[in-house]
Each structure stands twice: as C-alpha cells, then as structure tokens.
C-alpha cells in the first residue's frame, strides 16, 4: 500500500481496514469505557433552553484542566524524554484516528511557524490519509497494520518519539502505532481518556486524562478532544522550550512568513532587548530576519555571522550563547542573558 506521507507536509497516514472484533464484542468494550457512559440526567437535554445547554457544556469543559492536572507528573516525564531524543536529531510523531488524529496533525502543523522546526521534525499521522482531515474515515482506525506501514514509510528509529492518541485508549491504529514504534526502539507515549487502557499499557509513558462521560454519549470530540489538545500543547510547547526555541516566554524561533509575523518578530526583538526601531531593523537585516540571531546581535554587540556561530556552538540556546559571548574578551558588550 502506498503511503501519502510524502505528498502531505505533516505525514498523513494511509487508508484501509482489517478484521477485528465482532459487534457484540465491540459493544461490550464500549459499555466498559468511561468516555462512552450514558448519563441519564441528560436524557432530556434537547428539551432545555439553548442558554441552559450552553451552561452545561461550559461547566463540562471547565472540568477538563483538573483532569489534565492529575497527569502532570507523567506528562512532564514524557516531555523530558521527548526533548532528550529530539536534541539528538529525533522527531516527534503523532498517530491517531478521527478527532484524535486531527488533533495530532493540527499540533504538528503549528510547530513550523511557531518554533521554526525543520521539515518533518514534528509529524502527524491520521488513519485514512489526508482526506480524513475533512471527511470521516473512521473505518481506517481498525488496522494496526496501517499504522506500521505509515511509520515504516517515515523510517521511524530509536531517536524518534511516537505518541499514540485515542480517547478510548483501544483504537487499533493508535495502539498499533505505539507497538510498532516500540519494536523499532522509538520512545512511545500513549494518550487516552480512560483508565487502564491498552494504549497506555503498551507505551513507555501512559497518559490517561480521565474526563468522564461526555455531554453527548460517546461524542469524544467534546471533553476528550479538549483534553487531547491541552496535553499536545504541553508536549510540543514545553519540548520546544527545553530545546531552546524560546527566550523566556518569547517565541524567538518564530518564522516570519507573513506581515503579522514580521511585525511580531520586531516586537519580540524589542521586548527581549529594549532596543529602538533603527537598531532592531539593522539587527534583523544582518541576520536575514532570524529573530534569535538579531536578539543576540543587539544584546552581545556582535555581527550577524558571529551570532550565527555562537548559536550553532550553543545548540540554538540563546541564553547559553549570550553567556559564551560575555565570556569572550573581545565581546564585553553583552548586557544581559
């Protein structure tokens, strides 16, 4: 089967299906899942005024951050391991089906403009391929073999991290991705919304954010989807912080690909340095628009080429580069780090 990963910038998966458990077995599995539980107190929600339904949904959503908070130690441990592997050239790869897969692709697609990640450094695989982003392709989730094919197409290795995402924690595509990645020596993370899930059990780091039954029975695009988004935000953002992609809370690796981002780049340099417009323009001109390099030019009093070399020696960590510049006898101009 041909993978679509090369035709889509974030590594969308392939399509297909496989034999699985029968209808009775599946119903029994669903009956046992917290995310699928029926809430009798909401059986007449369709009879309520619209504003009351909105209040109910808002209250449900407000419970999600607390469920995420319960998993923070596990999330932090996963991030430390992800960052260590990515610092050695590894990739962060998400794999999921349906809403979970779309969440992974979304997070992957936002890393290049936010953190200037290299092509392919953060990838998202969704069962069913690119079309599954806009058209339901839920049947593709039933094949762990497809997940293995998609990962093999990317050449997954021991430096990589594969995050399987599944609200139920039993989706064959996500579980299959984690199992196959583990056999390839990759770090594995399983993100689910049910306790005791097969996905978490098969991953090095099992993150189980138990948000409880959904407002609409089994509609895991609601609280479960929100929980997945919050956790993926943490995995990618904090990993990038650990990799030196920020300076304080400033996105110093932002890619200025449009007018808004170019304006943001100038603002970031101003916030980091306190420099005036003329000095900012000169620094950005010397560094071909690279925000981190421009900040180093201003704070350390070096030229564009020197800033590039200092950052290369510091593995991209601006604070380390500033300390190195300050310690060089000829560069006493560094003001702070």
């Amino acid at each position: 089967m041909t993978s679509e990963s090369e035709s889509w910038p974030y590594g969308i998966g392939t399509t297909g299906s496989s034999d699985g458990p029968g209808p009775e077995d599946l119903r029994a599995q669903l009956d046992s899942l917290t995310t699928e539980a029926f809430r009798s107190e909401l059986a007449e929600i369709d009879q309520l005024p619209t504003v009351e339904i909105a209040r109910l949904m808002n209250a449900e959503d407000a419970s999600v951050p607390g469920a995420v908070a319960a998993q923070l130690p596990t999330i932090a441990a996963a991030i430390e391991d992800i960052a260590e592997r990515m610092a050695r050239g590894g990739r962060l790869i998400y794999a999921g089906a349906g809403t979970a897969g779309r969440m992974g692709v979304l997070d992957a697609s936002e890393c290049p403009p936010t953190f200037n990640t290299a092509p392919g450094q953060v990838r998202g695989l969704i069962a069913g391929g690119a079309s599954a982003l806009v058209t339901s392709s839920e049947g593709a989730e039933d094949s762990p073999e497809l997940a293995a094919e998609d990962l093999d197409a990317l050449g997954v290795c021991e430096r990589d991290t594969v995050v399987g995402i599944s609200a139920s924690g039993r989706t064959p595509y996500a579980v299959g991705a984690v199992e196959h990645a583990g056999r390839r020596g990759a770090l594995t993370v399983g993100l689910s919304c049910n306790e005791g899930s097969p996905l978490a059990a098969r991953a090095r780091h099992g993150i189980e954010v138990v948000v409880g039954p959904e407002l609409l029975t089994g509609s895991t695009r609601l609280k479960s989807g929100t929980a997945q988004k919050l956790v993926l935000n943490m995995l990618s953002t904090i990993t990038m912080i650990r990799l030196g992609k920020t300076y304080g809370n400033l996105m110093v690796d932002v890619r200025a690909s449009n007018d808004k981002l170019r304006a943001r780049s100038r603002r970031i340099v101003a916030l980091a340095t306190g420099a005036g417009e003329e000095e900012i323009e000169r620094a950005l001109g010397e560094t071909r628009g690279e925000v981190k390099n421009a900040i180093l030019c201003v704070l350390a009093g070096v030229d564009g080429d020197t800033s590039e070399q200092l950052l290369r020696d510091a593995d991209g960590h601006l604070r380390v580069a500033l300390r190195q510049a300050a310690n060089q006898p000829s560069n006493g101009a560094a003001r702070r780090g």
Side-chain angles (χ1 to χ4, degrees):
M1 184 169 294
T2 301
S3 172
E4 296 179 42
S5 60
E6 295 306 314
S7 62
W8 182 265
Y10 307 110
I12 304 303
T14 53
T15 60
S17 62
S18 67
D19 294 333
E24 292 183 3
D25 293 330
L26 282 174
R27 180 172 176 177
Q29 290 180 20
L30 292 177
D31 286 343
S32 70
L33 298 175
T34 302
T35 50
E36 297 287 337
F38 173 69
R39 299 173 63 178
S40 59
E41 75 274 18
L42 298 176
E44 296 189 7
I45 190 174
D46 56 327
Q47 303 298 306
L48 296 176
T50 300
V51 69
E52 291 302 320
I53 301 175
R55 286 195 182 102
L56 281 171
M57 285 196 69
N58 183 243
E60 291 289 302
D61 291 341
S63 70
V64 175
V68 174
Q71 289 293 300
L72 289 180
T74 304
I75 293 169
I79 291 168
E80 292 284 354
D81 282 353
I82 293 169
E84 189 275 329
R85 296 204 181 203
M86 292 193 78
R88 294 190 283 115
R91 297 167 295 177
L92 175 58
I93 302 167
Y94 300 125
T99 297
R102 294 180 193 104
M103 289 295 177
V105 172
L106 173 63
D107 198 73
S109 69
E110 290 176 341
C111 286
T114 306
F115 301 112
N116 200 14
T117 54
Q121 193 173 11
V122 184
R123 308 289 294 256
L125 295 172
I126 180 170
S131 63
L133 289 172
V134 293
T135 304
S136 177
S137 183
E138 314 306 50
E141 74 177 47
D142 292 333
S143 176
E145 294 81 12
L146 286 178
E149 290 179 17
D150 290 341
L151 291 174
D152 284 344
L154 297 180
V156 167
C157 67
E158 68 280 354
R159 294 190 306 274
D160 298 325
T161 299
V162 172
V163 181
I165 314 166
S166 165
S168 68
R170 56 158 297 279
T171 304
Y173 185 88
V175 176
V178 163
E179 290 179 329
H180 189 72
R183 289 193 291 269
R184 292 289 183 268
L187 176 69
T188 56
V189 179
L191 172 57
S192 74
C193 296
N194 282 282
E195 283 186 315
S197 67
L199 181 60
R202 287 163 174 76
R204 173 73 176 273
H205 297 283
I207 302 170
E208 296 180 322
V209 183
V210 183
V211 296
E214 299 285 2
L215 184 87
L216 299 180
T217 305
S219 183
T220 53
R221 59 179 285 273
L222 300 177
K223 288 190 298 185
S224 296
T226 300
Q228 290 163 2
K229 173 60 173 166
L230 293 178
V231 174
L232 296 182
N233 280 349
M234 288 184 179
L235 294 183
S236 59
T237 301
I238 303 175
T239 293
M240 295 303 160
I241 291 173
R242 294 274 76 90
L243 293 175
K245 294 281 188 179
T246 66
Y247 179 63
N249 63 343
L250 297 174
M251 298 182 292
V252 293
D253 264 346
V254 65
R255 179 178 295 170
S257 56
N258 59 30
D259 288 342
K260 181 189 77 173
L261 293 177
R262 279 185 283 273
R264 180 177 289 165
S265 296
R266 285 161 174 75
R267 184 168 183 267
I268 289 171
V269 177
L271 289 169
T273 66
E277 287 298 320
E278 185 176 339
E279 188 176 8
I280 290 171
E281 289 298 325
R282 183 168 57 251
L284 285 169
E286 277 198 39
T287 61
R288 298 175 294 280
E290 294 290 341
V291 173
K292 185 187 290 182
N293 301 50
I295 292 170
L296 185 55
C297 284
V298 175
L299 293 182
V302 299
D303 59 27
D305 290 340
T306 303
S307 73
E308 186 174 349
Q309 184 60 54
L310 283 167
L311 282 166
R312 188 180 301 117
D313 293 343
D315 293 326
H317 290 259
L318 180 54
R319 290 191 190 277
V320 175
L322 283 165
R323 288 196 293 269
Q324 292 175 346
N327 290 332
Q328 293 180 4
S330 60
N331 286 329
R335 298 200 288 269
R336 71 170 185 256

